[in-house]
Amino acid sequence: MSIPLGVLTRYDEMGASSRLRYYLFRNALENGGFRPEYHPFFCAAYLRRLYAGQGKSRLLAAGALLRRLALLPRLPERLLVEYELLPELSAAFELKFLRRHRYILNFDDNVWEKYASRPRLAGKYDELIRRADGVIAANDFLLERVAALNPNAIKIPTVVDLGAYDPVGVKKFPRFTVGWIGTPVTYSYLEQAAGALRTMSRAADFELLVIARRDLEARAIPGVRMRFADWSADAEAGLLLQCHAGIMPLTDDPFSRGKSAYKLIQYQAAGLPAIASPVGENVRVIRHGVTGFLADSPAEWADALKQLAADSGLCAAMGLAARAAAFDYSLQKYGPVEAAFLRSALSVSL
C-alpha cells in the first residue's frame, strides 16, 4: 500500500527548481512506496509573467496564498515542502498548520537572502528547519547551514535523468559552439560576464548558444557572436548535445554561493567540458583540467576556451570524463536515495 505524500512546490513543471527537484522524482517516490500529490503555490501565469520580464504580480501572488490556505485542511499527514509552506507569512503562523504534519524541507538556493533584511521573517527558515522531520540540501553550502539546525539533513544535488541525454547519432554544430542554459531571469549572469565573453571572442572563433528565450536577442552582448533558442523540456538535451562546451559564469556573492551548479550537471550529462566561475558548488562539480576549467579573470576564461577550441582531442577527452562523472549527479543514483530518506524521516515502512 502506498502512503500519500503532499508535495508542496513553488511552481508547476514550468519552474526549473520545482520540475527538477520534485516532479522529476515522481517515479522514484512511487517506487519507494509513496503516492505523491503535487500542489504548486504559484500558477503558470505568474511564472510566464516573470520570465517575460514583467516582474512579480502582487495580485497573482495573493491569489496563490489564498489557494494554499484553502488547501491546508486537505493535505495528507506527510509533506515534502519546497522552502516554505506559506511565503511571506511568519514561521509562527506557518507552524500552526505544520504541527499537525510530519514534514521535510528541501532547499536548492540560499533563500535566506530573501528575508535577510526583514526582521519579522529573517529567522523563518531557521525555525522551520528546527521543527522539521528532515531537511534536504542541494549543495555543501546549504547542507552546512541546515545541518547546524537539524541533525537529520542530507545532501541531494539537483539531478539529471541520464536517459534524456543520448548522444547516439547527434552531430555537433558546424561552428565551435559554447552553450549556456538557464531562465530569462538568470541571463543577467551572462550580462555581468560581458567583459570575459568579449575577451573570449578575441581569443577564439566561437558562437555562444543561449538556451532560454529567443527574444533575449534584444539584449545580446556587443562583440560576442550569439544565437538564441527558446528553452523547452523536449529541446534542451538535443541542443546541448550539439554544443562543444558549456559555460557557467557567476558573481561571487552569498546567493550565488548557494546555487546548485545545475548547468554544469547538464553539461556533464551531455558530455561537454565546461568553463565556470570558481564559486560555490561549481568548485565541487568541475574537476579542473579533467572535466573542464575553473576560470576567474577574463584572461583565464579566454585561455580555457582557446584550449578547447584549438584542440579537438582535448575537448573530446574532457567531454568523455564529464559524461563519466555525470552519474554522481543523476536521477538514477539519487532517486532511490531520496525515497529512502523520506521513508526514514517520515516513519514509513514498506
Side-chain angles (χ1 to χ4, degrees), residues 119-145:
R120 185 175 64 88
L121 295 172
K124 177 178 181 178
Y125 293 122
D126 289 359
E127 188 61 27
L128 295 180
I129 289 167
R130 290 189 187 98
R131 304 292 185 91
D133 294 280
V135 188
I136 299 171
N139 55 60
D140 287 351
F141 178 92
L142 299 173
L143 182 64
E144 183 178 351
R145 177 150 197 169

Short mmCIF file of all heavy atoms in Angstrom, two decimals, residues 119-145:
data_model
loop_
_atom_site.label_atom_id
_atom_site.label_comp_id
_atom_site.label_asym_id
_atom_site.label_seq_id
_atom_site.Cartn_x
_atom_site.Cartn_y
_atom_site.Cartn_z
N PRO A 119 13.10 41.95 9.58
CA PRO A 119 13.17 41.37 10.94
C PRO A 119 12.09 40.35 11.25
O PRO A 119 12.36 39.34 11.91
CB PRO A 119 13.05 42.61 11.83
CG PRO A 119 13.58 43.73 11.00
CD PRO A 119 13.16 43.42 9.59
N ARG A 120 10.87 40.58 10.76
CA ARG A 120 9.77 39.67 11.09
C ARG A 120 9.96 38.29 10.45
O ARG A 120 9.46 37.28 10.97
CB ARG A 120 8.45 40.28 10.62
CG ARG A 120 7.20 39.48 11.02
CD ARG A 120 5.94 40.22 10.61
NE ARG A 120 5.83 40.36 9.17
CZ ARG A 120 5.26 39.43 8.38
NH1 ARG A 120 4.77 38.33 8.89
NH2 ARG A 120 5.19 39.62 7.08
N LEU A 121 10.71 38.22 9.34
CA LEU A 121 10.85 36.98 8.60
C LEU A 121 12.28 36.45 8.57
O LEU A 121 12.51 35.34 8.09
CB LEU A 121 10.36 37.17 7.16
CG LEU A 121 8.87 37.48 6.99
CD1 LEU A 121 8.55 37.84 5.54
CD2 LEU A 121 8.01 36.29 7.44
N ALA A 122 13.23 37.23 9.06
CA ALA A 122 14.65 36.87 8.91
C ALA A 122 14.97 35.49 9.48
O ALA A 122 15.81 34.77 8.94
CB ALA A 122 15.53 37.94 9.55
N GLY A 123 14.33 35.09 10.55
CA GLY A 123 14.61 33.80 11.16
C GLY A 123 13.64 32.70 10.78
O GLY A 123 13.67 31.61 11.38
N LYS A 124 12.80 32.94 9.78
CA LYS A 124 11.74 32.00 9.46
C LYS A 124 12.28 30.63 9.06
O LYS A 124 11.85 29.60 9.60
CB LYS A 124 10.85 32.55 8.35
CG LYS A 124 9.76 31.56 7.94
CD LYS A 124 8.83 32.09 6.87
CE LYS A 124 7.76 31.05 6.53
NZ LYS A 124 6.80 31.52 5.53
N TYR A 125 13.20 30.59 8.10
CA TYR A 125 13.67 29.29 7.61
C TYR A 125 14.37 28.51 8.72
O TYR A 125 14.20 27.28 8.81
CB TYR A 125 14.60 29.48 6.42
CG TYR A 125 13.90 30.01 5.19
CD1 TYR A 125 14.31 31.19 4.59
CD2 TYR A 125 12.83 29.34 4.63
CE1 TYR A 125 13.67 31.69 3.46
CE2 TYR A 125 12.18 29.82 3.51
CZ TYR A 125 12.60 30.99 2.92
OH TYR A 125 11.96 31.48 1.82
N ASP A 126 15.12 29.20 9.56
CA ASP A 126 15.80 28.51 10.66
C ASP A 126 14.80 27.83 11.59
O ASP A 126 15.00 26.69 12.02
CB ASP A 126 16.67 29.49 11.46
CG ASP A 126 17.89 29.95 10.69
OD1 ASP A 126 18.09 29.49 9.54
OD2 ASP A 126 18.65 30.77 11.22
N GLU A 127 13.72 28.53 11.90
CA GLU A 127 12.72 27.95 12.80
C GLU A 127 12.00 26.77 12.15
O GLU A 127 11.76 25.74 12.81
CB GLU A 127 11.70 29.03 13.21
CG GLU A 127 10.74 28.59 14.30
CD GLU A 127 11.43 28.21 15.59
OE1 GLU A 127 12.54 28.73 15.87
OE2 GLU A 127 10.87 27.38 16.34
N LEU A 128 11.67 26.87 10.88
CA LEU A 128 11.03 25.76 10.19
C LEU A 128 11.95 24.55 10.13
O LEU A 128 11.51 23.40 10.28
CB LEU A 128 10.64 26.18 8.76
CG LEU A 128 9.57 27.26 8.61
CD1 LEU A 128 9.32 27.54 7.13
CD2 LEU A 128 8.27 26.86 9.30
N ILE A 129 13.23 24.80 9.92
CA ILE A 129 14.21 23.71 9.84
C ILE A 129 14.33 23.00 11.18
O ILE A 129 14.38 21.77 11.25
CB ILE A 129 15.57 24.26 9.37
CG1 ILE A 129 15.48 24.64 7.89
CG2 ILE A 129 16.68 23.25 9.59
CD1 ILE A 129 16.65 25.48 7.41
N ARG A 130 14.36 23.75 12.25
CA ARG A 130 14.48 23.14 13.58
C ARG A 130 13.33 22.19 13.87
O ARG A 130 13.51 21.15 14.52
CB ARG A 130 14.53 24.22 14.66
CG ARG A 130 15.80 25.05 14.68
CD ARG A 130 15.83 25.94 15.91
NE ARG A 130 16.97 26.86 15.87
CZ ARG A 130 16.90 28.13 15.45
NH1 ARG A 130 15.72 28.63 15.06
NH2 ARG A 130 17.97 28.89 15.44
N ARG A 131 12.15 22.51 13.40
CA ARG A 131 10.96 21.70 13.69
C ARG A 131 10.74 20.57 12.67
O ARG A 131 9.87 19.72 12.88
CB ARG A 131 9.73 22.59 13.70
CG ARG A 131 9.79 23.78 14.66
CD ARG A 131 9.77 23.35 16.12
NE ARG A 131 9.72 24.52 17.00
CZ ARG A 131 8.60 25.07 17.44
NH1 ARG A 131 7.43 24.58 17.07
NH2 ARG A 131 8.64 26.13 18.24
N ALA A 132 11.50 20.57 11.59
CA ALA A 132 11.26 19.61 10.51
C ALA A 132 11.70 18.20 10.91
O ALA A 132 12.60 18.01 11.74
CB ALA A 132 12.01 20.05 9.25
N ASP A 133 11.08 17.20 10.29
CA ASP A 133 11.49 15.81 10.50
C ASP A 133 12.74 15.46 9.71
O ASP A 133 13.40 14.46 9.98
CB ASP A 133 10.35 14.87 10.11
CG ASP A 133 9.15 15.02 11.02
OD1 ASP A 133 9.18 14.45 12.12
OD2 ASP A 133 8.20 15.75 10.65
N GLY A 134 13.07 16.28 8.72
CA GLY A 134 14.27 16.09 7.93
C GLY A 134 14.43 17.25 6.97
O GLY A 134 13.49 17.99 6.70
N VAL A 135 15.66 17.42 6.47
CA VAL A 135 15.95 18.51 5.55
C VAL A 135 16.84 17.99 4.43
O VAL A 135 17.80 17.24 4.68
CB VAL A 135 16.66 19.69 6.26
CG1 VAL A 135 16.78 20.89 5.31
CG2 VAL A 135 15.93 20.09 7.54
N ILE A 136 16.51 18.39 3.20
CA ILE A 136 17.31 18.06 2.02
C ILE A 136 17.97 19.35 1.53
O ILE A 136 17.30 20.38 1.39
CB ILE A 136 16.44 17.46 0.91
CG1 ILE A 136 15.77 16.16 1.39
CG2 ILE A 136 17.27 17.18 -0.34
CD1 ILE A 136 14.73 15.62 0.43
N ALA A 137 19.26 19.28 1.27
CA ALA A 137 20.00 20.43 0.75
C ALA A 137 20.70 20.04 -0.55
O ALA A 137 21.20 18.92 -0.68
CB ALA A 137 21.03 20.92 1.77
N ALA A 138 20.73 20.97 -1.50
CA ALA A 138 21.24 20.64 -2.83
C ALA A 138 22.76 20.72 -2.95
O ALA A 138 23.33 20.20 -3.90
CB ALA A 138 20.61 21.57 -3.87
N ASN A 139 23.42 21.37 -1.99
CA ASN A 139 24.86 21.51 -2.10
C ASN A 139 25.47 21.65 -0.71
O ASN A 139 24.77 21.77 0.30
CB ASN A 139 25.23 22.69 -3.00
CG ASN A 139 24.59 23.99 -2.54
OD1 ASN A 139 24.83 24.44 -1.43
ND2 ASN A 139 23.77 24.60 -3.39
N ASP A 140 26.80 21.65 -0.66
CA ASP A 140 27.50 21.67 0.62
C ASP A 140 27.28 22.98 1.38
O ASP A 140 27.22 22.99 2.62
CB ASP A 140 29.00 21.45 0.40
CG ASP A 140 29.33 20.02 0.04
OD1 ASP A 140 28.42 19.17 0.12
OD2 ASP A 140 30.48 19.73 -0.34
N PHE A 141 27.21 24.09 0.66
CA PHE A 141 26.97 25.39 1.29
C PHE A 141 25.66 25.36 2.08
O PHE A 141 25.61 25.77 3.24
CB PHE A 141 26.93 26.47 0.21
CG PHE A 141 26.63 27.86 0.71
CD1 PHE A 141 27.65 28.72 1.06
CD2 PHE A 141 25.32 28.31 0.83
CE1 PHE A 141 27.39 30.00 1.52
CE2 PHE A 141 25.03 29.59 1.29
CZ PHE A 141 26.07 30.43 1.64
N LEU A 142 24.61 24.85 1.46
CA LEU A 142 23.31 24.78 2.12
C LEU A 142 23.28 23.70 3.19
O LEU A 142 22.66 23.87 4.25
CB LEU A 142 22.21 24.54 1.08
CG LEU A 142 22.06 25.62 0.01
CD1 LEU A 142 21.05 25.17 -1.05
CD2 LEU A 142 21.62 26.94 0.62
N LEU A 143 23.93 22.58 2.91
CA LEU A 143 23.94 21.49 3.89
C LEU A 143 24.58 21.92 5.20
O LEU A 143 24.08 21.61 6.28
CB LEU A 143 24.68 20.27 3.32
CG LEU A 143 24.73 19.05 4.24
CD1 LEU A 143 23.33 18.49 4.49
CD2 LEU A 143 25.63 17.97 3.65
N GLU A 144 25.68 22.66 5.11
CA GLU A 144 26.34 23.14 6.32
C GLU A 144 25.39 24.03 7.13
O GLU A 144 25.36 23.95 8.36
CB GLU A 144 27.60 23.92 5.95
CG GLU A 144 28.40 24.41 7.13
CD GLU A 144 29.67 25.12 6.73
OE1 GLU A 144 30.03 25.09 5.54
OE2 GLU A 144 30.31 25.73 7.62
N ARG A 145 24.62 24.84 6.43
CA ARG A 145 23.71 25.74 7.14
C ARG A 145 22.57 24.97 7.82
O ARG A 145 22.25 25.22 8.98
CB ARG A 145 23.15 26.76 6.17
CG ARG A 145 22.13 27.70 6.81
CD ARG A 145 22.13 29.04 6.18
NE ARG A 145 21.45 30.01 7.04
CZ ARG A 145 21.47 31.32 6.86
NH1 ARG A 145 22.16 31.83 5.85
NH2 ARG A 145 20.84 32.13 7.67
#
